[in-house]
Amino acid sequence: MSFKDFQFHPKVNAGIAAYGYTSPTPIQKEAIPSILAGRDILGLAQTGTGKTAAFVLPLLQRLLDGPRKRVRALIVAPTRELAEQINDNISKMAKETGLRSIVIYGGVGKQPQIRTIRAGVEIVVACPGRLLDLLNEKAFNLRAVEVLVLDEADHMFDKGFLPDIRRIIKQLPKERQSLVFSATMPKEIRHLAEEILRNPVRVQINHTLPAPTISHALFRVAKKQKTSLLKSIIHEREMTTTLVFTRTKHKAKSLALHLQKAGYSAASLQGNLSQQKRQRALDGFRDGTFKILVATDIAARGIDVLGISHVINYDVPDTAETYTHRTGRTGRATRTGQALTFAGQEDSKMISLIERNLGKKMDREVTPAFACEAEKDVREEKNTRFSRNMPRRKKPAAAGRGKSRRSRACSCDFGISKPVQQ
Ligand code: AMP
């Protein structure tokens, strides 16, 4: 199947050409014909599958006919970054169509947003909070909306937006087309989908399977050596654009600062930053000013930056699903990428879950020095546990000590298959 089969208007085809897409991705093949036929859609797909174009292209085709300067399509997204990204996609894809869009979210002035909407736009991309604010202030209304898109619905639920979403939906005409996209399907989203979709077509694209274009490697490393390992990997490998994930906002900030001080072009993306700073970090990462972006899961969810060569899990994610989300930032569409995960003994359970989800073992990679420290970490932990539970013993005799030290010496194997050059 090629894009020609959809018989898009030449002005829409110009948008596809602007991106240089040659053939549709699986979700585009499945979803576009149904959306063009006016059906409601429940799309189970994660970011990285091409889902944005899957709804934007048929949306543009539909809006080409009909009145202008009215809000005819509403796209709701859970984060500012995702909303910005969708809007960027629309601006580029819609260039020849003359259709206009606006992105609205909080943390920036309302007036410019209100002025742009009133000047006349056909597509609004919005985060729920600011959208409701503007609707409550009667800055504009949704009476002419023909198509509603809810993107990353599961993430809306995570962020507590479902009551807002229901308030927004009440203001929409009953007669409309609705498209709901979600990477996962918790029961809350299933209920929401049942409420708002009419006889939907269900489109499911390997939502729990990571992209096959990614290679996965595991590094055993002690906590205190993660930063040194990171620097040594960045130094050794050809890393064009690297996204590093940490568990906490504080760590994202301090690690980015540390890398900057060490001379790397790095920035952080985390929830404590102002919207302006977040945007600066993201834009800088996109245009290559920053080669390394250190981010938390929430801040990075949905971000779409082409050509990310490496995703590094500085901290192991909390769920196997989050691993898929994180690593889905690389190897997008047709490109290849590498996912590197730093793990200590305490992460073993999560690593097994991730590997079960991947359907294979990650490649064990290691620099011997770091593996030794990781092994020491395990020994120290065991010793602490041991000494906590057992009565103190006399120190062994000097002659025996050498032997015992040797027997404890670092083996550095960890079942490692591929050593990394130091
Ligand atoms: P998305 O899942 O919408 O975030 O898209 C993931 C990435 O795939 C983005 O960089 C898109 O520009 C890209 N993409 C979308 N559709 C195609 C396609 N048909 N061919 C190649 N790349 C695509």
Side-chain angles (χ1 to χ4, degrees), residues 244-255:
V244 180
F245 282 97
T246 61
R247 189 167 290 138
T248 64
K249 295 185 246 187
H250 176 74
K251 187 74 213 179
K253 183 179 169 188
S254 64
L255 183 58

Side-chain angles (χ1 to χ4, degrees), residues 320-332:
E321 197 109 278
T322 306
Y323 181 87
T324 305
H325 277 298
R326 286 182 179 184
T327 54
R329 316 287 123 202
T330 184
R332 308 200 113 193

Side-chain angles (χ1 to χ4, degrees), residues 3 19-25 28 46-53 85 89 302 304-306 332-334:
F3 278 111
Y19 270 96
Y21 301 158
T22 48
S23 57
T25 64
Q28 291 162 1
Q46 64 197 48
T47 343
T49 51
K51 72 177 158 63
T52 315
Q85 197 173 285
N89 269 256
D304 173 27
V305 177
L306 264 187
R332 308 200 113 193
T334 50

